[in-house]
Structures are given as C-alpha cells and as structure tokens.
Amino acid sequence: MTEALLASKDPTLRFGDDNTIVVPMAILQNLYRYKGVPEKMSMASRFVEYIDSLPQNDLLSEGGFKQENGSYLRIVDNGPIEQEIANLADFSRLDHRVFQVCKDLKKKSQKVILISRNPNIRLKGNQLGIDTELFKDEIFPKPCDQYKGIVEVFMPGSSLEKMFTDERGVPVEEVYQYENFDWIENEFVEIVSDTSKAIGRYTNGRIVRLKYDKSIPGGHKALNVEQVVFWESLLMPPDIAPLVVTKGVAGTGKTYCSLAMALNAIEKKGDKKKQTYKQIIVATPTVTVANEELGFLPGEIDDKVGPYLGGIVDNLKEILRQKFPDFTNAELKKKAMEFFERGDIEIQPIGFLRGRTIPNTVFIIDETQNIKPCDIKDIVTRSAEGSKFIFLGDADQVNNPALNSRYNGLVYLSEKMKGNPHTFQITLNSKKSVRSKLAQEALDIL
C-alpha cells in the first residue's frame, strides 16, 4: 500500500466522492521514515504534510475527514494480529498490520477493498477473504455525474430567433440564470423558450445554431435530440471536429449513424466540392465478452476480427436497405461485403493502429470502454490530416476485468477532452433506444 500512496500526487483524492479512504497507521509511520529515490521521498513527505494539516480528531473518527473532492479520509490502527496473519512468514510485520486493519473493518460489516500495486499482497489478500484492486491513478466521476455533452437552458423567444438570423449566434448572457452554468466549449445546448425549442452549440462565449440539423445525407433521420447532436458532430469536417466521443447503450444508433456518415462520404470520393474520406477503419479492443485476447485466438487477422464482422455487416445492410428497398437480405449482404472487397472498409484490432498514421480516413473505434486509459493516447495520436476519429462505447458494459464504469478508456477520453475546441461529445439517451420496446425494457430492468 506504501507504493500505491507514492504512485501519484494527492493519491487519496484519486477516489470518487462515494468512497472512504483508510490509511493504516503502520503505513503512515512507514511513509514518515521512507527512504528511497528522491521523487518518491518527496511524495512521501508531501503526503505526511497533508495528513499533518488535517484535524486529527476527524482523521481518527469513525466518519473520517471530508476531503475537497467529497471522499472521506481515515487513519486507523490495527487490533491484535490474528494467528492466520501472523503465520504469513513471507510477509513483513507492516504487511501483517495492513491485513489486520482490513480484517478489523470487515468485522464491522464494512465493504473493504485493499489497494496495492504489489501482486503478492493482492493475491494473499484474496486468500484471506479481502477484496483487492490495483491502484488506478485516476478515478473519474460516477456514471450519473460524467460529462453528457449537452445541457438544457431557457431563453427568451426573441433571443432564440436571433440565434437563427445572426451567424454569430447569441451571447450566453441571453440565457436565464446563465451564471449557473459551466459553459464548456463545444457543449451542445437544448434551448427552451416561451414560443419554441431549438438546439445550439456553445463556443467562445456564444450559442450558435447547428449547421447540419436540416441536411442529414442519405435519407437518414435523427430520431431524437441526442441523435441530432450526434449527426452534427459526425458531419462537421475534420478540421473543425477531428474527434467525436459518443456514449450510449446498445440500440441508440452509435455504430449505425457513424457508418452511415462515413459511407456517404466514401461514395463521394473524387468530388472535390464535398468533404470526402478515402476509407473507413473500424477498430475494436482485443478483449471479448469472455475476456479472451484476440492475440490468443486461432487464425490470421481476418479470422480474429471475424466475430465482430457480423454486427458491422448488419448495420451496413440496414443502411443499404434505404437505397435498395427491394433487395433481399442475401443481396444486401453481398452488397455490404463489396465495401470490404474494395478496401473501402477495414476491421482492425486496436493494437494494429499503433505505428499507422493514415490521412483522410474515418476511424470508428467501437467498445472504447474496454480500452485501457494508457492506450488511448497511442490511438488518438495516430490522427493525420483530413482524418476523423469517432470513439463509441457504453461505460456500463465493461468486459475487461482491469477496468470498470469509472476507470476505462471511454470515460478517460471524455473527461480529459471535455472542453477541447476540436472535440465534440454527446451521450445518447438510454431512454430513447431505437430498438424494440422489449430491448428498451430489458435495458431498464436487467
């Protein structure tokens, strides 16, 4: 646990506001005497000084001290060492005391998770009946508090009319109680007035009208407010919106809309008057629902991504059905496969994007919640001139055991890029799934 506390600055503030962080007294004593590399010594000294600045009575109480991020911090000494722990010959007295603190807390019917960077500590903790986790440098907000990309505001009807007649839009001061909002760059705004409703986008202190809400190509239609915003993000040229982050449960149209936009652009290759892309690359993490790494699955790369092909082809068939309504399913599938045969669409595992910098390409990164935060930078920095990255996922559908709904690539990217001038984001409403009523009820109940 000592190394976990020295893994980053302000380590006890890396947990969410619904947690109580317990530091065993033995660990605090060890940090006070810590000798090691200068950087770690500095962090140890900084942490001890932080503890010393807090009210001791609060730290030693059952409730703990409430930190600035809303979490609580406690210092707890251990009781008598149980014989089962004392017999652990390969572990130090310090380890014994930490294990005992966990046991003491569990006896009080508290949910306890031991955080450690040492795999031996985690393994032995599990044997002792203590849940353990690897220290994660940054835990992001609970799903209900994560960035949604859209906010609802109220505005006088006259101001709303001005937004449509003035290309510069209207200043945020036109919004009722505008000072109560954070005003994040590129956040979308659902506007309600005394006469009508509309959708705009906040940028540089003003709310501007959308550009593509009335001109979705290919005969496609936005089925709800969030899809209107999603289409706006997709259709924005890559010099304005090279990065799109979209969260939403299954059935909200994430993959369908992304592919539809990209295919429409592919079909216009060679038309210099229209924004076009040369190809589409659909990338997916190398972890399956059963936590199987694609690298260990048999076959060549085409065999490895085969399980993901079905879902893509299904979406392609539905997109093509609008253009070829009389085609049978077999004919639609054959038509969809032509995109792969021509090289217009490639499916790649995430790892294969490393080292590739490809211009004029639409990258659709699916299941982003199963990508580790440390790998996100490697992917985004593959962006080249004229390319657009679309990251899709559902933070509640994490299959990678090293990740969770608050610590994964999707949430990491969303929270870190919030307010970036080249990033558009939207969370598609789970109550507005475009699938059947049964699918929606299953999402709500199961």
Side-chain angles (χ1 to χ4, degrees):
M1 189 173 179
T2 300
E3 288 301 316
L5 288 172
L6 300 179
S8 68
K9 295 180 180 179
D10 306 318
T12 61
L13 297 175
R14 301 298 186 184
F15 299 87
D17 59 6
D18 55 346
N19 289 285
T20 296
I21 298 90
V22 174
V23 178
M25 187 77 75
I27 293 293
L28 187 59
Q29 293 170 347
N30 190 55
L31 286 172
Y32 183 76
R33 299 190 297 265
Y34 186 83
K35 300 296 181 184
V37 296
E39 182 183 2
K40 297 291 186 182
M41 289 178 63
S42 176
M43 286 186 176
S45 177
R46 177 189 175 100
F47 183 75
V48 171
E49 290 174 2
Y50 173 64
I51 295 295
D52 195 39
S53 70
L54 305 178
Q56 291 189 4
N57 289 338
D58 289 348
L59 288 172
L60 296 172
S61 69
E62 288 288 330
F65 171 77
K66 187 174 183 178
Q67 301 187 101
E68 62 183 55
N69 70 338
S71 63
Y72 287 84
L73 177 62
R74 294 180 61 195
I75 305 297
V76 177
D77 202 358
N78 59 279
I81 304 297
E82 297 177 4
Q83 195 61 45
E84 180 186 20
I85 296 175
N87 290 338
L88 300 176
D90 294 333
F91 291 84
S92 68
R93 173 71 176 173
L94 175 65
D95 298 332
H96 292 176
R97 295 181 66 183
V98 172
F99 286 140
Q100 190 59 53
V101 167
C102 295
K103 285 279 194 176
D104 293 342
L105 292 171
K106 282 178 66 69
K107 289 176 183 176
K108 297 179 180 180
S109 300
Q110 297 185 28
K111 178 176 174 57
V112 178
I113 299 176
L114 174 59
I115 306 296
S116 177
R117 304 194 84 182
N118 186 332
N120 294 320
I121 293 289
R122 298 199 302 273
L123 285 169
K124 184 54 66 177
N126 287 328
Q127 286 185 340
L128 293 170
I130 303 168
D131 292 334
T132 65
E133 284 186 13
L134 176 68
F135 176 76
K136 299 176 177 67
D137 182 63
E138 197 155 13
I139 299 293
F140 291 101
K142 292 175 287 188
C144 61
D145 296 327
Q146 290 167 12
Y147 183 54
K148 302 294 190 297
I150 189 169
V151 63
E152 184 180 67
V153 303
F154 296 89
M155 179 186 291
S158 57
S159 299
L160 184 55
E161 290 179 13
K162 184 179 178 182
M163 186 185 79
F164 286 102
T165 57
D166 190 337
E167 290 187 358
R168 299 173 302 165
V170 294
V172 293
E173 288 79 8
E174 301 281 355
V175 172
Y176 291 122
Q177 298 181 332
Y178 73 92
E179 66 276 4
N180 294 336
F181 296 91
D182 291 334
W183 300 116
I184 298 167
E185 184 69 16
N186 283 334
E187 185 170 37
F188 289 93
V189 184
E190 186 175 2
I191 306 165
V192 179
S193 78
D194 48 359
T195 57
S196 61
K197 295 181 179 181
I199 307 171
R201 177 173 59 87
Y202 171 78
T203 179
N204 296 321
R206 304 178 74 87
I207 301 175
V208 299
R209 67 178 185 267
L210 302 187
K211 291 186 176 182
Y212 300 100
D213 55 329
K214 306 296 184 184
S215 57
I216 299 174
H220 303 288
K221 295 181 180 179
L223 301 181
N224 50 58
V225 169
E226 290 78 14
Q227 278 200 6
V228 171
V229 168
F230 188 26
W231 274 107
E232 179 80 3
S233 305
L234 293 172
L235 293 170
M236 275 287 182
D239 59 325
I240 297 176
L243 177 60
V244 176
V245 183
T246 302
K247 292 177 277 189
V249 301
T252 47
K254 303 184 301 294
T255 306
Y256 177 93
C257 295
S258 300
L259 281 171
M261 179 282 295
L263 284 176
N264 183 73
I266 286 287
E267 290 174 351
K268 291 181 172 58
K269 282 194 296 186
D271 187 345
K272 296 182 179 180
K273 294 182 180 180
K274 296 185 180 294
Q275 174 61 46
T276 61
Y277 300 97
K278 293 181 179 178
Q279 63 176 331
I280 305 165
I281 293 181
V282 181
T284 182
T286 57
V287 62
T288 67
V289 174
N291 192 30
E292 300 170 304
E293 290 287 335
L294 284 179
F296 295 100
L297 296 176
E300 299 299 324
I301 183 60
D302 289 342
D303 300 315
K304 293 175 186 286
V305 298
Y308 298 92
L309 185 60
I312 300 299
V313 171
D314 287 343
N315 276 286
L316 291 174
K317 285 164 58 180
E318 291 307 309
I319 293 168
L320 290 168
R321 196 182 301 276
Q322 294 200 36
K323 190 174 182 180
F324 305 102
D326 298 327
F327 274 28
T328 65
N329 280 330
E331 290 172 323
L332 288 170
K333 182 176 181 180
K334 181 179 179 181
K335 196 75 176 175
M337 295 306 295
E338 291 177 3
F339 290 112
F340 299 96
E341 294 165 3
R342 292 195 302 264
D344 288 336
I345 302 178
E346 292 183 21
I347 299 182
Q348 295 282 352
I350 288 295
F352 282 66
L353 293 182
R354 290 189 177 94
R356 301 184 71 184
T357 302
I358 309 171
N360 304 113
T361 298
V362 179
F363 291 88
I364 300 174
I365 316 298
D366 207 0
E367 304 291 338
T368 308
Q369 76 276 3
N370 288 315
I371 302 174
K372 295 178 181 178
C374 59
D375 293 329
I376 287 292
K377 183 178 180 180
D378 288 341
I379 300 169
V380 177
T381 52
R382 296 299 93 202
S383 179
E385 190 70 27
S387 286
K388 191 180 189 80
F389 273 85
I390 305 166
F391 286 84
L392 311 173
D394 176 4
D396 288 327
Q397 295 294 321
V398 175
N399 299 323
N400 190 327
L403 307 174
N404 57 49
S405 63
R406 297 172 66 172
Y407 181 79
N408 60 72
L410 179 66
V411 176
Y412 172 80
L413 182 63
S414 174
E415 295 295 326
K416 286 292 188 180
M417 298 303 287
K418 179 173 65 176
N420 180 276
H422 299 109
T423 304
F424 283 32
Q425 300 198 46
I426 185 59
T427 298
L428 299 176
N429 196 324
S430 62
K431 301 295 184 183
K432 299 176 183 177
S433 172
V434 298
R435 292 187 178 176
S436 67
K437 291 182 179 179
L438 173 61
Q440 181 60 56
E441 290 176 0
L443 286 170
D444 295 337
I445 297 171
L446 300 180

